[in-house]
Every structure is written in C-alpha cells, then in structure tokens.
Amino acid sequence: MSNYTGENIQVLEGLEPVRKRPGMYIGGTGKAGLHHLLWEIVDNAVDEATNGYATLIEVTLHKDGKTCSVSDNGRGIPVDIHPVKKVPTLELILTTLHAGGKFDGSNYITSGGLHGVGSSVVNALSEELIATIKRDGKTYQQIFTKGVPITNLKVLNPNSRGSGTTIQFRPDEDIFETTTFDAALIAENLETKTYLNKTLKIVFKDDVNGKRHEFHHEGGIREYLTHMVVKDKVRPIHSEQFALSQPDLIAGLRAELVLQWTESPRESIKSYVNGIPTADGGTHEAGLKDGVVKAVRAYMETHNLTDKKLEISADDIREGLFAILNVYMTEPQFQGQTKDKLNNPEARSLVNNAFRLDLEQWLNAHPSFGDAIAARVVQAAKARLASRTAVQAVRAKSVGSSRLALPGKLADCSSKKPDECELFIVEGDSAGGSAKQGRDRKFQAILPLRGKVLNTEQANAKKLTDNKELSNILLALGCGIGDKMDLGNLRYHKIILLMDADSDGHHIATLLLTFFYRHMRSLIDGGYVYIAQPPLYRVDVGKETFWALDDTDRERIIREQKKSKPRAIAEIQRFKGLGEMMPQTLKETTLDPDKRRLLRVSIPDTERLRTEQVITDLMGKDASARYRFIMENAEEAEELDV
Ligand code: 1YM
C-alpha cells in the first residue's frame, strides 16, 4: 500500500453545495441524516482499523446528547503542508469535497460510506468540529464552525506519545430537524460493525445515560447469525451453520458468508458491502440467492429427495433461511439516493461462484443437515400449494355472485378510481351499519368485521386465507398478498381502520396492522394505511357541540369554554362504542374528509428495527417477551383499559 502524502489530493471543491443541499450528501435532515454524520466519522476510523493501523475505536455521546466524539489509535490524519495549496492536509480534507487519497483507489483497499468525502460533509453540517491529531510525537488541533476553520492547525503538545485521530462534532441546529442522538441506535450500529470485523474493538461511552459498552465479537458473522436467530426467537433446523470466507476471490474482492435454515416462515438475509449495510440488497445478494437455490436443488436431485409431483420454487428453498453476507470490493457502485443497493453487475456471478460448490459439498458432507433442509423445502412447497388452493377456493366461492368476486359483506363505493376511493374496515355489524348510512357512497366503501381476526405473526399462508375476515379484506383490496402483491390492482388508496376507542378495538387494530406489516408491507410503506379517530366524548355547552378524542381533549374543551362562558354548564356523553353513534354523528366526526382526523401509519427508517422487535415480541409465541415489553413500557401507557 502506498503511503499517503499531501500531493495525492486532486479534486477540490468548497463546501457550499453541502450546506445548500444536505440531503444530497446524507440522504435527509431528519433523524437518519443526523446519525449518518456519526456513521461517516466512525467508518473512517473503522477503515483505519480494517487496514491494520488502528486497534481501538472509542465513540462518546456527550452529556448534552448532541455532541459526539470518535477517536482511533491509527496513524492520525496527515498534517503535512500541501505543496500547492500551502495548507495542512487535515484542513484540506475537512474543508473540501472529494479531497482524499481514498478517491484514487490506491491508498485504501476498502472503503464504504461516501468514499472518503465523509469528514468534510460532517464538518460542513456541524456547528462546531474539533479535530485532534496525534502524529510524529506531537498533538495537533484545529477547530471549525460550519465547515470554516476558526483556528489554524496548532500544536497542543510538542511531546506526546502514540498516534491517532479524534473528531468531536456538534451538528448544526439550523440544518437538522432534530440534533439529539439516539444512544440505543448508536449502540446497535456500533455492535454490528464489530460483528463484521472480528478484530475490531469499539468502546461506546454513553454519557447521556451514564453507560459504557464494549463491543468485540471474536466469533464474527457466525456469532452475529447466532445472535439474530436468538433475537428473533426462531429454531434452527440444523445444528451447525454453513460458513465460508473467500479472502481472495479476484484481485480486490473478498467475501464472507454464514447461513442457516430455521423454522421461521420468513427469509432473513443481511448483506453488507465493505462493512456498510445494503438494506435493499443488490447484485451481491442476488448472487447469494442464486447460489443457495442451485446448491440445494443439486443436493436434492442427487439424493432423490424431490417429489416428482411437487414443483419447488426458489422461494420454497429460501424460506426460513437466515444469512449474513459481507463483501469487500474496491469500487462499489450503489443505486438510489441512500445508496442501500449494490449495483455492480459482476458481483452477482462472483458471489454465486464463490459459494455454490462449497455449499453443495457441505450438504453432501453433512447429510443429516442436508436432509433436514430438503424436508423444510418440501414442507414450504406443500404449504404454498395448499394456500394457493385455498385462495382459489375463496375466489371460486365468491365468483358468480359478483363479477369482481367481492366479499358479500362489503358495501362498495360507486367510484372505480382507486386514488379517490376509501375503504373503512369497521369493527362489528352495528358500527358497520351506522358507517354505511353515514358514508358518502360515491367514494367510501365499508367492510364490517364480525369474527376474530387471526394473529398472523405465527400463521402460514394457508391459515391466513382460511380466516374469513382476512380473506374478505384480501378480496376487497384486490391487490394480492406477499410477493404476489401488485399495488396496481389496489382498489382503494386509503385503507382506514375504524375501531372502538377501547381495548378490544385496539386489539383488533393491532392484529390488522400486524397482518399488513407481515404480509402486505408495501401498503404501509406506500402510505395507504390509516387509523380513524372516532371521538370518545360528546361535550354540549349551551347550543354548541364539541367532540373529544380522549380525556385530555375533553378537559381542554371544557377549560376553553369555561373561559368564554364562565356560567355555562357542560353536558358530557361518553360513547361506549361506535355502534351507539348516530350515522349523522359518525359522518360529522369520523367519516367526512373535511372534518375528520386520520392518522397515517408509517415506519420511519430509523424505527424499522425497533418496529420489527416490538411486533416479534408482542405478537409472537413467546409470552415472556410480551410480558417484558409491557413491563418496560408500562410508564408510557397512559391508561390501561382492561
Ligand atoms: C475519528 C475518525 O478519520 N482516522 C483516520 C483517517 C485517515 C487516516 C488515518 C490516514 C490515511 C492515510 C494515511 C492514507 C484519513 N486520511 C485521509 C487522507 N478517524 C479517522 N486515520 N495516513 C492516515 O489514506 O494513506 C482521509 S481519512 F485523505 F489523508 F488520505
């Protein structure tokens, strides 16, 4: 590896574009963008470690929750004076875009993130950034505000030991919607890095909560996979993982993989490029999937484990598969603004070829594992066939009565334009009746639910379609389910859950949301799912009527009315359920687009992990996880209606 000198820096550009359009550089200015700053600096430190120069990284979230420091004990960012620009390299790196030896590919074998432009972007978007460098027996420091140096590079200590880089920064409140960091999110992200680099040690000092974490996982991605399987509470179907590391695939490309089949009805593949997560997968992940499917097929054919009458799909083979794939490459190309998807076409066949034969050999060498996997695959294929038959049966039943095969209980709207149509899923027949009378039949459809909605967290496809209420919803929506979903066929662009404001209502809403989350996620991600907010109280003051969503709302209304009409008496009526409400009242408070309040259901990127965890804990088999969740969150629940 060539050594870095100030002369290598080629492309220079100021930082104004970064402050003008921060989103272009960090994806956005919300919570995710804020944390992106920290990941950039951490990635630089991790690079220094994976290249063999640093052994320890320390991250501190300071007491204010808004300032972070990252330090490594590597070589220290160069401080020599640039021959042309006549300023220290450190200053150039922190004040110019695209500056850095990493860019020409020769100095760094592996680098992820923003290809080394990261630290200047962080500097540009920080109210204050302090860089402290130990190098050549001295300690240097330089301070910046919004990317502009406010001191020269100074020698803090002319006689110091060791070397390394410390970057302390406080993001700019003028740029970010929030500037408070999330300690749990930081811990999670840092720990993942130490799974991906088993030699890496990261110490995280969380001064907000007075905690200190040490992350170091000698077991690497094997240990990570075990951790995932335990966290998701799924049972592996073979005892040993398949793990393979290909240190030298072709020049500059290295890859490591670990996988294991489980009883989970889902597939869970985590992929990384240069230690950076590729949440949307890409060509490397596609190559892995190809390879796994081919290897298992070959094994099943060799050992005559296929049922001739059963057609086995790639999805059947991958059902229940947990895998972690980490690929290192010199010039990764990413797709999309947040760069979550690898795009290099060559990665597909490289990864496929790297693992396929070894996996097949491994299966042959461990026939008890191979047979267990084959049995799992056959079971998945049979379940899929059964559920397809069930869907066909549901269709067949309703065909004939109406040409669209809509459920009998649906009161459909007359419009056929999905973008103006709304489907209200209503709890109970009596509320359904009021809603039918109170709706605007041109664009509002009503589907009453009577029976219990199935908890879909543990259910397979066949059980889903056997459930009358869920299959009615599926038929009404018209867009299919799972990976067969086509939003182009969705019949309503607003799907509104209308439930009583009591614990039963909440329970049904939770079951429906779990169903959408697990089996029709793109409805949520597309922003089609809403929760209606029917009032709990009617407050009459003199001749005026007000609707209150909850107790706080009711108190607020009474307080305000007392101010203007001190002698008035407020009459309060509490609705026991939607069924009690007159159709006209339901229309005025909950159905009419001009008067109602709707909550749109969404999962911000930064909350995806937590959402997954909460759903697994609350809806899954494990009752103790549910209990833990309720105890841990009891304070947040204002009033438990039981
Ligand atoms: C807390 C963040 O940035 N560490 C870090 C960065 C660099 C080096 C060492 C480094 C790299 C090289 C030579 C080289 C960087 N250098 C550059 C640039 N920690 C953190 N530690 N000497 C030191 O690439 O050859 C950018 S980052 F541009 F100088 F190469």
Side-chain angles (χ1 to χ4, degrees), residues 317-432:
I317 294 180
R318 299 196 323 262
E319 194 178 295
L321 177 68
F322 272 54
I324 294 162
L325 171 68
N326 190 12
V327 174
Y328 287 90
M329 56 200 300
T330 29
E331 284 179 44
Q333 284 147 22
F334 296 98
Q335 199 184 318
Q337 224 187 5
T338 42
K339 303 207 164 75
D340 284 342
K341 191 170 181 182
L342 184 70
N343 214 9
N344 302 48
E346 72 280 11
R348 185 165 186 159
S349 57
L350 277 171
V351 171
N352 178 354
N353 293 333
F355 299 115
R356 198 189 66 231
L357 280 181
D358 292 87
L359 178 58
E360 198 183 325
Q361 276 167 14
W362 179 84
L363 292 167
N364 285 317
H366 302 88
S368 66
F369 302 162
D371 293 357
I373 294 163
R376 173 80 183 77
V377 171
V378 168
Q379 176 210 325
K382 285 190 174 153
R384 178 174 51 82
L385 275 182
S387 87
R388 192 197 292 161
T389 322
V391 172
Q392 279 162 353
V394 173
R395 283 215 188 104
K397 252 186 260 164
S398 11
V399 165
S401 56
S402 122
R403 86 203 127 83
L404 266 169
L406 292 171
K409 290 201 295 180
L410 175 74
D412 207 6
C413 52
S414 57
S415 165
K416 294 285 169 264
K417 293 185 199 140
D419 56 344
E420 66 177 21
C421 291
E422 305 180 342
L423 175 68
F424 283 87
I425 301 177
V426 186
E427 169 192 358
D429 275 342
S430 77

Side-chain angles (χ1 to χ4, degrees), residues 321-578:
L321 177 68
F322 272 54
I324 294 162
L325 171 68
N326 190 12
V327 174
Y328 287 90
M329 56 200 300
T330 29
E331 284 179 44
Q333 284 147 22
F334 296 98
Q335 199 184 318
Q337 224 187 5
T338 42
K339 303 207 164 75
D340 284 342
K341 191 170 181 182
L342 184 70
N343 214 9
N344 302 48
E346 72 280 11
R348 185 165 186 159
S349 57
L350 277 171
V351 171
N352 178 354
N353 293 333
F355 299 115
R356 198 189 66 231
L357 280 181
D358 292 87
L359 178 58
E360 198 183 325
Q361 276 167 14
W362 179 84
L363 292 167
N364 285 317
H366 302 88
S368 66
F369 302 162
D371 293 357
I373 294 163
R376 173 80 183 77
V377 171
V378 168
Q379 176 210 325
K382 285 190 174 153
R384 178 174 51 82
L385 275 182
S387 87
R388 192 197 292 161
T389 322
V391 172
Q392 279 162 353
V394 173
R395 283 215 188 104
K397 252 186 260 164
S398 11
V399 165
S401 56
S402 122
R403 86 203 127 83
L404 266 169
L406 292 171
K409 290 201 295 180
L410 175 74
D412 207 6
C413 52
S414 57
S415 165
K416 294 285 169 264
K417 293 185 199 140
D419 56 344
E420 66 177 21
C421 291
E422 305 180 342
L423 175 68
F424 283 87
I425 301 177
V426 186
E427 169 192 358
D429 275 342
S430 77
S434 310
K436 260 180 226 174
Q437 292 175 51
R439 69 174 171 151
D440 183 332
R441 59 170 56 244
K442 180 167 180 293
F443 65 95
Q444 295 183 317
I446 309 291
L447 180 66
L449 296 181
R450 192 188 298 139
K452 257 271 172 278
V453 175
L454 181 75
N455 179 354
T456 50
E457 178 66 2
Q458 297 293 331
N460 61 23
K462 163 110 172 62
K463 266 203 189 151
L464 286 186
T465 41
D466 278 352
N467 182 264
K468 187 88 197 118
E469 310 304 321
L470 293 181
S471 70
N472 279 343
I473 294 176
L474 281 175
L475 287 174
L477 295 178
C479 59
I481 185 171
D483 49 5
K484 308 275 178 312
M485 235 177 117
D486 181 357
L487 285 176
N489 293 331
L490 180 63
R491 299 178 61 250
Y492 314 90
H493 282 190
K494 285 203 174 78
I495 302 157
I496 304 168
L497 309 187
L498 175 54
M499 316 281 127
D500 284 339
D502 60 14
S503 63
D504 274 352
H506 295 326
H507 186 216
I508 297 176
T510 311
L511 291 169
L512 288 173
L513 288 175
T514 304
F515 171 59
F516 290 143
Y517 179 80
R518 274 292 173 238
H519 302 277
M520 306 181 86
R521 177 84 60 94
S522 44
L523 289 183
I524 294 182
D525 292 341
Y528 297 112
V529 183
Y530 297 81
I531 297 175
Q533 296 209 279
L536 198 55
Y537 297 101
R538 175 187 169 131
V539 183
D540 285 293
V541 185
K543 287 205 173 70
E544 269 185 292
T545 303
F546 303 87
W547 309 102
L549 287 180
D550 52 26
D551 295 4
T552 333
D553 210 22
R554 180 196 62 200
E555 290 313 312
R556 179 188 56 80
I557 292 167
I558 295 176
R559 237 187 358 261
E560 278 171 15
Q561 291 308 310
K562 282 263 148 90
K563 251 188 246 153
S564 53
K565 308 174 202 121
R567 290 193 313 176
I569 295 168
E571 243 178 84
I572 297 161
Q573 182 195 353
R574 186 184 206 273
F575 298 110
K576 284 210 195 70
L578 292 166

Side-chain angles (χ1 to χ4, degrees), residues 83-134:
V84 181
K85 294 280 166 181
K86 312 281 186 222
V87 293
T89 307
L90 172 78
E91 184 176 326
L92 270 189
I93 286 172
L94 288 173
T95 56
T96 49
L97 268 179
H98 298 182
K102 290 179 179 186
F103 229 36
D104 64 12
S106 64
N107 282 308
Y108 264 79
I109 323 179
T110 58
S111 77
L114 291 170
H115 312 276
V117 304
S119 28
S120 63
V121 169
V122 177
N123 194 19
L125 302 177
S126 291
E127 176 62 38
E128 182 182 67
L129 183 144
I130 306 174
T132 312
I133 313 294
K134 280 194 201 174

Side-chain angles (χ1 to χ4, degrees), residues 1-5 9 41-42 44-45 48 70-72 74-78 89 93 99-102 107-108 116 119 135 165-167:
M1 190 185 310
S2 72
N3 259 332
Y4 180 85
T5 68
I9 291 173
I41 301 296
V42 169
N44 286 341
E48 188 67 357
V70 182
S71 61
D72 67 59
R75 292 165 293 177
I77 298 180
T89 307
I93 286 172
K102 290 179 179 186
N107 282 308
Y108 264 79
S119 28
R135 213 178 144 109
T165 303
T166 302
I167 303 284

